[in-house]
Amino acid sequence: QVQLVESGGGVVQPGGSLRLSCAASGFTFSSYGMHWVRQAPGKGLEWVAFIRYDGSNKYCADSVKGRFTISRDTSKNTLYLQMNSLRAEDTAVYYCAKYEHRTGAFQHWGQGTLVTVSS
Amino acid sequence: SYELTQPPSVSVSPGQTARITCSGDALPRQYAYWYQQKPGQAPVMVIYTDSERPSGIPERFSGSSSGTTVTLTISGVQAEDEADYYCQSADSFNWVFGGGTKLTVL
């Protein structure tokens, strides 16, 4: 079955950097686009970034543009989110999600990893 | 920027029908999706492309669309349906979630 396991979260100071990983299994990773979605404590879901199945196109939310970069390594079946210039408002649980291109749905989600930006 | 609007909360008694709405200008031309999230858990898709139900989701969950509003309907609500529900859509490679609706089963 599809499994998505995020890692790399933790506590970081404002202005710092962090790289999140999402290990994928149970499906052909190279055939699917992938998203990052975040959820601040007690708040709703916010889309962060998307990468096409082949890495040819990437899109990100205005709130993270220029600071966050999404990437993927097909040889490792792993999705990444490089987060730079972190701010307190980036504090959230970060989820990776498998994108079903035929329906447009966030079909499967990982359990998330918590990022806390605090001094 | 594109926005989706949901009511913050909906309350129903067990066995009744819950309806959660989601409004957005692009909904007449873009599909909507619904996700259920229980405390401490990841979201789970319950409806895709406005009205399709994934395998494993109970038949009491249904979706509909009319103009700029989509609706998630839960018929015969059960205690286990108490959760946050989020609508989601997309417009020009910008994916958007509604603010979420907390469904309380009285």
Short mmCIF file of all heavy atoms in Angstrom, two decimals, chain A residues 18-59:
data_model
loop_
_atom_site.label_atom_id
_atom_site.label_comp_id
_atom_site.label_asym_id
_atom_site.label_seq_id
_atom_site.Cartn_x
_atom_site.Cartn_y
_atom_site.Cartn_z
N LEU A 18 16.16 24.44 7.02
CA LEU A 18 15.81 23.06 7.35
C LEU A 18 15.45 22.37 6.06
O LEU A 18 14.89 23.00 5.14
CB LEU A 18 14.62 23.05 8.31
CG LEU A 18 14.49 21.93 9.35
CD1 LEU A 18 15.73 21.85 10.23
CD2 LEU A 18 13.26 22.18 10.22
N ARG A 19 15.78 21.07 5.95
CA ARG A 19 15.35 20.31 4.79
C ARG A 19 14.48 19.15 5.24
O ARG A 19 14.91 18.31 6.04
CB ARG A 19 16.53 19.77 3.98
CG ARG A 19 16.09 19.14 2.66
CD ARG A 19 17.24 18.64 1.80
NE ARG A 19 17.73 17.34 2.23
CZ ARG A 19 18.41 16.50 1.44
NH1 ARG A 19 18.68 16.85 0.19
NH2 ARG A 19 18.84 15.35 1.92
N LEU A 20 13.27 19.11 4.72
CA LEU A 20 12.35 18.02 5.00
C LEU A 20 12.47 16.96 3.92
O LEU A 20 12.74 17.27 2.76
CB LEU A 20 10.91 18.53 5.06
CG LEU A 20 10.63 19.69 6.02
CD1 LEU A 20 9.13 20.00 6.01
CD2 LEU A 20 11.11 19.38 7.42
N SER A 21 12.24 15.72 4.32
CA SER A 21 12.23 14.61 3.38
C SER A 21 10.91 13.86 3.49
O SER A 21 10.26 13.86 4.54
CB SER A 21 13.38 13.63 3.68
OG SER A 21 14.64 14.26 3.57
N CYS A 22 10.52 13.22 2.40
CA CYS A 22 9.32 12.39 2.37
C CYS A 22 9.67 11.12 1.60
O CYS A 22 9.87 11.16 0.39
CB CYS A 22 8.18 13.15 1.69
SG CYS A 22 6.73 12.15 1.28
N ALA A 23 9.79 10.02 2.32
CA ALA A 23 10.14 8.74 1.71
C ALA A 23 8.87 8.06 1.22
O ALA A 23 7.94 7.85 2.01
CB ALA A 23 10.86 7.86 2.71
N ALA A 24 8.84 7.73 -0.05
CA ALA A 24 7.64 7.16 -0.67
C ALA A 24 7.84 5.68 -0.98
O ALA A 24 8.94 5.26 -1.39
CB ALA A 24 7.31 7.91 -1.95
N SER A 25 6.78 4.89 -0.81
CA SER A 25 6.82 3.48 -1.16
C SER A 25 5.41 3.01 -1.48
O SER A 25 4.43 3.68 -1.16
CB SER A 25 7.41 2.65 -0.01
OG SER A 25 6.63 2.79 1.15
N GLY A 26 5.34 1.85 -2.15
CA GLY A 26 4.04 1.27 -2.46
C GLY A 26 3.43 1.75 -3.76
O GLY A 26 2.29 1.39 -4.09
N PHE A 27 4.16 2.59 -4.50
CA PHE A 27 3.69 3.04 -5.80
C PHE A 27 4.90 3.48 -6.63
O PHE A 27 6.00 3.62 -6.11
CB PHE A 27 2.68 4.19 -5.67
CG PHE A 27 3.23 5.48 -5.10
CD1 PHE A 27 3.55 6.55 -5.92
CD2 PHE A 27 3.43 5.62 -3.73
CE1 PHE A 27 4.06 7.73 -5.39
CE2 PHE A 27 3.94 6.79 -3.18
CZ PHE A 27 4.25 7.85 -4.01
N THR A 28 4.68 3.69 -7.91
CA THR A 28 5.77 4.10 -8.80
C THR A 28 5.99 5.60 -8.64
O THR A 28 5.32 6.42 -9.29
CB THR A 28 5.44 3.74 -10.26
OG1 THR A 28 5.15 2.34 -10.35
CG2 THR A 28 6.63 4.06 -11.16
N PHE A 29 6.92 5.94 -7.78
CA PHE A 29 7.15 7.34 -7.39
C PHE A 29 7.40 8.23 -8.61
O PHE A 29 6.91 9.36 -8.66
CB PHE A 29 8.35 7.39 -6.43
CG PHE A 29 8.70 8.76 -5.94
CD1 PHE A 29 7.87 9.44 -5.07
CD2 PHE A 29 9.89 9.37 -6.33
CE1 PHE A 29 8.20 10.71 -4.60
CE2 PHE A 29 10.23 10.63 -5.87
CZ PHE A 29 9.39 11.31 -5.00
N SER A 30 8.13 7.70 -9.60
CA SER A 30 8.50 8.51 -10.76
C SER A 30 7.32 8.86 -11.67
O SER A 30 7.48 9.64 -12.61
CB SER A 30 9.57 7.79 -11.57
OG SER A 30 9.09 6.53 -12.02
N SER A 31 6.16 8.30 -11.38
CA SER A 31 4.99 8.54 -12.23
C SER A 31 4.00 9.53 -11.65
O SER A 31 2.96 9.82 -12.27
CB SER A 31 4.25 7.21 -12.51
OG SER A 31 5.07 6.31 -13.22
N TYR A 32 4.29 10.06 -10.47
CA TYR A 32 3.31 10.90 -9.80
C TYR A 32 3.90 12.24 -9.35
O TYR A 32 5.02 12.30 -8.83
CB TYR A 32 2.74 10.19 -8.57
CG TYR A 32 1.82 9.05 -8.93
CD1 TYR A 32 2.34 7.77 -9.17
CD2 TYR A 32 0.46 9.26 -9.08
CE1 TYR A 32 1.50 6.73 -9.52
CE2 TYR A 32 -0.39 8.22 -9.43
CZ TYR A 32 0.15 6.96 -9.66
OH TYR A 32 -0.69 5.93 -10.02
N GLY A 33 3.09 13.28 -9.54
CA GLY A 33 3.42 14.56 -8.95
C GLY A 33 3.25 14.49 -7.44
O GLY A 33 2.52 13.63 -6.93
N MET A 34 3.91 15.39 -6.74
CA MET A 34 3.88 15.39 -5.28
C MET A 34 3.72 16.80 -4.76
O MET A 34 4.22 17.77 -5.34
CB MET A 34 5.17 14.79 -4.72
CG MET A 34 5.42 13.33 -5.08
SD MET A 34 4.28 12.18 -4.29
CE MET A 34 4.71 12.38 -2.55
N HIS A 35 3.00 16.90 -3.63
CA HIS A 35 2.76 18.18 -2.98
C HIS A 35 3.35 18.21 -1.57
O HIS A 35 3.51 17.16 -0.94
CB HIS A 35 1.25 18.42 -2.81
CG HIS A 35 0.50 18.72 -4.04
ND1 HIS A 35 0.41 20.00 -4.57
CD2 HIS A 35 -0.26 17.93 -4.84
CE1 HIS A 35 -0.36 19.98 -5.65
NE2 HIS A 35 -0.78 18.73 -5.83
N TRP A 36 3.59 19.42 -1.10
CA TRP A 36 3.78 19.69 0.33
C TRP A 36 2.61 20.58 0.77
O TRP A 36 2.27 21.56 0.10
CB TRP A 36 5.09 20.40 0.62
CG TRP A 36 6.31 19.53 0.53
CD1 TRP A 36 7.21 19.45 -0.50
CD2 TRP A 36 6.78 18.61 1.54
NE1 TRP A 36 8.19 18.53 -0.21
CE2 TRP A 36 7.96 18.00 1.05
CE3 TRP A 36 6.33 18.24 2.82
CZ2 TRP A 36 8.69 17.06 1.77
CZ3 TRP A 36 7.05 17.30 3.53
CH2 TRP A 36 8.21 16.72 3.02
N VAL A 37 2.04 20.24 1.90
CA VAL A 37 0.95 21.00 2.51
C VAL A 37 1.30 21.19 3.98
O VAL A 37 1.84 20.27 4.60
CB VAL A 37 -0.40 20.25 2.39
CG1 VAL A 37 -1.52 21.03 3.10
CG2 VAL A 37 -0.75 20.00 0.93
N ARG A 38 1.00 22.35 4.54
CA ARG A 38 1.32 22.57 5.95
C ARG A 38 0.10 22.98 6.74
O ARG A 38 -0.91 23.42 6.17
CB ARG A 38 2.43 23.61 6.10
CG ARG A 38 2.03 25.03 5.72
CD ARG A 38 3.25 25.95 5.84
NE ARG A 38 2.94 27.34 5.50
CZ ARG A 38 3.83 28.32 5.47
NH1 ARG A 38 5.11 28.08 5.77
NH2 ARG A 38 3.45 29.55 5.15
N GLN A 39 0.22 22.84 8.06
CA GLN A 39 -0.88 23.18 8.96
C GLN A 39 -0.30 23.77 10.23
O GLN A 39 0.32 23.06 11.03
CB GLN A 39 -1.72 21.94 9.27
CG GLN A 39 -2.97 22.22 10.08
CD GLN A 39 -3.87 21.00 10.16
OE1 GLN A 39 -3.42 19.86 10.21
NE2 GLN A 39 -5.18 21.23 10.16
N ALA A 40 -0.48 25.07 10.40
CA ALA A 40 -0.02 25.73 11.61
C ALA A 40 -0.85 25.23 12.79
O ALA A 40 -1.99 24.78 12.62
CB ALA A 40 -0.16 27.24 11.46
N PRO A 41 -0.31 25.29 14.00
CA PRO A 41 -1.01 24.78 15.18
C PRO A 41 -2.41 25.39 15.33
O PRO A 41 -2.57 26.60 15.34
CB PRO A 41 -0.10 25.20 16.34
CG PRO A 41 1.26 25.29 15.73
CD PRO A 41 1.05 25.79 14.34
N GLY A 42 -3.43 24.54 15.36
CA GLY A 42 -4.79 24.98 15.53
C GLY A 42 -5.40 25.65 14.32
O GLY A 42 -6.52 26.20 14.41
N LYS A 43 -4.71 25.62 13.17
CA LYS A 43 -5.19 26.30 11.98
C LYS A 43 -5.53 25.29 10.88
O LYS A 43 -5.44 24.09 11.07
CB LYS A 43 -4.12 27.28 11.47
CG LYS A 43 -3.72 28.33 12.50
CD LYS A 43 -4.89 29.22 12.88
CE LYS A 43 -4.44 30.33 13.83
NZ LYS A 43 -5.59 31.19 14.25
N GLY A 44 -5.90 25.83 9.71
CA GLY A 44 -6.30 24.99 8.60
C GLY A 44 -5.13 24.58 7.72
O GLY A 44 -3.97 24.88 8.00
N LEU A 45 -5.47 23.87 6.66
CA LEU A 45 -4.46 23.39 5.72
C LEU A 45 -4.07 24.49 4.75
O LEU A 45 -4.90 25.28 4.31
CB LEU A 45 -5.03 22.20 4.93
CG LEU A 45 -5.48 20.99 5.75
CD1 LEU A 45 -6.20 19.99 4.85
CD2 LEU A 45 -4.30 20.35 6.45
N GLU A 46 -2.78 24.53 4.43
CA GLU A 46 -2.27 25.51 3.47
C GLU A 46 -1.36 24.80 2.48
O GLU A 46 -0.36 24.18 2.87
CB GLU A 46 -1.49 26.63 4.17
CG GLU A 46 -0.91 27.65 3.21
CD GLU A 46 0.02 28.65 3.87
OE1 GLU A 46 0.46 28.41 5.01
OE2 GLU A 46 0.33 29.68 3.23
N TRP A 47 -1.68 24.89 1.20
CA TRP A 47 -0.82 24.31 0.18
C TRP A 47 0.50 25.08 0.14
O TRP A 47 0.52 26.31 0.22
CB TRP A 47 -1.51 24.38 -1.17
CG TRP A 47 -0.60 23.99 -2.29
CD1 TRP A 47 -0.15 22.74 -2.59
CD2 TRP A 47 0.00 24.87 -3.25
NE1 TRP A 47 0.70 22.78 -3.68
CE2 TRP A 47 0.80 24.08 -4.10
CE3 TRP A 47 -0.06 26.24 -3.48
CZ2 TRP A 47 1.53 24.62 -5.16
CZ3 TRP A 47 0.66 26.78 -4.53
CH2 TRP A 47 1.45 25.97 -5.36
N VAL A 48 1.61 24.34 -0.01
CA VAL A 48 2.94 24.94 0.00
C VAL A 48 3.62 24.87 -1.36
O VAL A 48 4.09 25.87 -1.90
CB VAL A 48 3.83 24.28 1.06
CG1 VAL A 48 5.27 24.80 0.99
CG2 VAL A 48 3.26 24.49 2.47
N ALA A 49 3.69 23.65 -1.93
CA ALA A 49 4.45 23.50 -3.16
C ALA A 49 4.07 22.20 -3.88
O ALA A 49 3.58 21.26 -3.25
CB ALA A 49 5.95 23.50 -2.89
N PHE A 50 4.33 22.18 -5.19
CA PHE A 50 4.05 21.02 -6.03
C PHE A 50 5.19 20.81 -7.01
O PHE A 50 5.78 21.78 -7.51
CB PHE A 50 2.75 21.23 -6.81
CG PHE A 50 2.49 20.19 -7.87
CD1 PHE A 50 2.09 18.92 -7.52
CD2 PHE A 50 2.66 20.48 -9.23
CE1 PHE A 50 1.85 17.95 -8.48
CE2 PHE A 50 2.43 19.52 -10.21
CZ PHE A 50 2.03 18.25 -9.83
N ILE A 51 5.48 19.55 -7.29
CA ILE A 51 6.48 19.20 -8.30
C ILE A 51 5.89 18.13 -9.21
O ILE A 51 5.28 17.17 -8.75
CB ILE A 51 7.80 18.74 -7.66
CG1 ILE A 51 8.88 18.51 -8.73
CG2 ILE A 51 7.62 17.50 -6.79
CD1 ILE A 51 10.29 18.34 -8.15
N ARG A 52 6.06 18.30 -10.51
CA ARG A 52 5.55 17.32 -11.46
C ARG A 52 6.30 16.00 -11.33
O ARG A 52 7.38 15.93 -10.75
CB ARG A 52 5.69 17.85 -12.89
CG ARG A 52 4.60 18.82 -13.29
CD ARG A 52 4.84 19.36 -14.68
NE ARG A 52 5.02 18.30 -15.66
CZ ARG A 52 4.13 17.98 -16.59
NH1 ARG A 52 2.97 18.62 -16.63
NH2 ARG A 52 4.39 17.06 -17.47
N TYR A 53 5.73 14.96 -11.91
CA TYR A 53 6.27 13.61 -11.76
C TYR A 53 7.73 13.51 -12.20
O TYR A 53 8.51 12.77 -11.62
CB TYR A 53 5.41 12.62 -12.56
CG TYR A 53 5.54 12.77 -14.07
CD1 TYR A 53 6.39 11.95 -14.79
CD2 TYR A 53 4.82 13.74 -14.76
CE1 TYR A 53 6.52 12.07 -16.17
CE2 TYR A 53 4.95 13.89 -16.13
CZ TYR A 53 5.79 13.05 -16.83
OH TYR A 53 5.93 13.19 -18.19
N ASP A 54 8.08 14.31 -13.21
CA ASP A 54 9.45 14.24 -13.75
C ASP A 54 10.32 15.41 -13.27
O ASP A 54 11.45 15.57 -13.75
CB ASP A 54 9.41 14.21 -15.28
CG ASP A 54 8.71 15.44 -15.87
OD1 ASP A 54 8.27 16.31 -15.09
OD2 ASP A 54 8.61 15.51 -17.10
N GLY A 55 9.79 16.21 -12.38
CA GLY A 55 10.56 17.34 -11.85
C GLY A 55 10.67 18.51 -12.79
O GLY A 55 11.39 19.48 -12.49
N SER A 56 9.99 18.46 -13.92
CA SER A 56 10.16 19.49 -14.95
C SER A 56 9.51 20.82 -14.58
O SER A 56 9.92 21.86 -15.08
CB SER A 56 9.58 18.99 -16.28
OG SER A 56 8.20 18.71 -16.14
N ASN A 57 8.51 20.79 -13.75
CA ASN A 57 7.83 22.01 -13.33
C ASN A 57 7.59 21.99 -11.83
O ASN A 57 7.27 20.95 -11.26
CB ASN A 57 6.50 22.19 -14.05
CG ASN A 57 6.68 22.47 -15.53
OD1 ASN A 57 6.67 21.55 -16.34
ND2 ASN A 57 6.87 23.72 -15.88
N LYS A 58 7.76 23.15 -11.25
CA LYS A 58 7.56 23.30 -9.81
C LYS A 58 6.72 24.56 -9.58
O LYS A 58 6.88 25.56 -10.29
CB LYS A 58 8.90 23.43 -9.08
CG LYS A 58 9.89 22.33 -9.39
CD LYS A 58 11.24 22.62 -8.76
CE LYS A 58 12.27 21.57 -9.17
NZ LYS A 58 13.60 21.83 -8.55
N TYR A 59 5.86 24.50 -8.59
CA TYR A 59 5.03 25.64 -8.25
C TYR A 59 5.01 25.77 -6.73
O TYR A 59 5.07 24.77 -6.03
CB TYR A 59 3.61 25.46 -8.76
CG TYR A 59 3.53 25.17 -10.23
CD1 TYR A 59 3.56 23.86 -10.71
CD2 TYR A 59 3.47 26.21 -11.15
CE1 TYR A 59 3.51 23.59 -12.07
CE2 TYR A 59 3.42 25.94 -12.52
CZ TYR A 59 3.44 24.63 -12.97
OH TYR A 59 3.41 24.38 -14.32
#
